Amino acid sequence: MKQFRYGWKYQFYGPDMPEVLFDLRKNPEETTNFIGEPEYGELVERFRLRAKELKFS
């Protein structure tokens, strides 16, 4: 399992809104969405699993 540092922000508000992933250390303005970047696929899956555990999705 790959280690990811802190400083990420993931948002999902349902199927009618875009899913987003921001790197707050590199881009605190939240203008670059990393959700589709293959290198962050494992991180996105972790966020998705956690959202399901919390019954957000």
Side-chain angles (χ1 to χ4, degrees):
M1 182 179 283
K2 186 175 178 180
Q3 280 287 83
F4 291 96
R5 60 179 166 67
Y6 292 95
W8 292 97
K9 181 177 180 180
Y10 170 79
Q11 294 175 311
F12 175 74
Y13 295 108
D16 297 331
M17 298 291 293
E19 186 179 31
V20 296
L21 178 69
F22 298 115
D23 182 340
L24 298 177
R25 289 184 177 185
K26 289 182 181 177
N27 186 239
E29 299 85 15
E30 301 178 15
T31 57
T32 303
N33 183 2
F34 291 95
I35 201 73
E37 299 294 323
E39 64 190 278
Y40 302 113
E42 184 180 333
L43 178 61
V44 171
E45 284 305 311
R46 287 187 203 175
F47 278 119
R48 288 174 179 160
L49 287 172
R50 185 63 180 143
K52 284 182 183 181
E53 289 174 358
L54 297 172
K55 303 194 186 326
F56 287 139
S57 58

